[in-house]
Amino acid sequence: ILDLMPLGEEGQWEKIRATADSGAGEHVCPPDMCPQFPTKESEGSRKGKEYRVANGAFIPNLGEKQIRAQDNNGTTLNIKPQVAKVNKFLASLGKICKAGNRVVLDEKDSFIQNKKTGAKTELRLENNVFVFDLWVEKKEQANSKTPFQRQGK
């Protein structure tokens, strides 16, 4: 699924805030986010793809990352954001829906729901922007041989 901004830490996990973006065609994250997951060349970076940002300027695609994360319920998510000089992780709602999910945006009960399993990832409204939490293993843990498991709430 999925503006990842490191917000906090809990043991071997780092909390990331993802911004749900209905105007983003791709999931996009800053180059320095989740350094434990290397940036690799992508089709977009090979072809010189650029993204138009809010001020109208264009920024280049720098590659992509393959990020393993979990939501607050402990559901494992495999996210492949494109990398560009943005300020936060932007989660493309269009890509989320194409991946077999539905998105409900409401003032009080907003979520992403997997259509097959029914599993929900809660969205919350912060400053009139919908966001959700992701948890990624810290660098030392992501590179170790320990199983990928974070307990849900």
Side-chain angles (χ1 to χ4, degrees):
I1 299 183
L2 347 238
D3 163 28
L4 298 179
M5 297 294 285
L7 292 182
E9 298 178 355
E10 185 175 288
Q12 66 183 21
W13 297 88
E14 181 178 7
K15 184 178 177 181
I16 304 292
R17 184 181 72 197
T19 298
D21 190 340
S22 63
E26 299 278 354
H27 305 314
V28 184
C29 74
D32 59 350
M33 183 168 284
C34 300
Q36 64 272 43
F37 301 103
T39 300
K40 298 181 179 178
E41 185 178 62
S42 67
E43 183 177 344
S45 65
R46 279 191 303 275
K47 292 183 176 182
K49 185 171 185 173
E50 294 184 321
Y51 302 106
R52 184 185 302 260
V53 294
N55 69 3
F58 288 90
I59 56 173
N61 178 314
L62 302 174
E64 65 187 14
K65 293 182 181 241
Q66 181 67 52
I67 297 174
R68 290 182 308 157
Q70 291 187 3
D71 66 13
N72 282 333
N73 299 317
T75 302
T76 299
L77 307 167
N78 290 302
I79 307 161
K80 192 185 283 188
Q82 299 303 297
V83 177
K85 290 186 179 177
V86 294
N87 294 323
K88 55 187 179 179
F89 187 94
L90 302 172
S92 167
L93 291 181
K95 286 195 78 114
I96 290 168
C97 289
K98 279 186 171 184
N101 300 286
R102 71 183 186 115
V103 178
V104 174
L105 302 177
D106 184 74
E107 188 176 2
K108 296 189 186 206
D109 186 27
S110 301
F111 53 88
I112 300 164
Q113 183 176 36
N114 184 287
K115 290 179 184 179
K116 285 184 182 176
T117 67
K120 289 183 180 180
T121 298
E122 174 190 345
L123 296 170
R124 67 185 179 281
L125 197 56
E126 291 182 359
N127 298 316
N128 291 320
V129 176
F130 288 98
V131 298
F132 58 98
D133 295 328
L134 296 172
W135 293 87
V136 295
E137 288 181 288
K138 290 182 185 176
K139 186 173 185 173
E140 320 73 67
Q141 300 297 325
N143 294 327
S144 74
K145 296 188 189 268
T146 59
F148 186 78
Q149 184 63 35
R150 177 183 176 276
Q151 297 298 318
K153 284 184 174 179

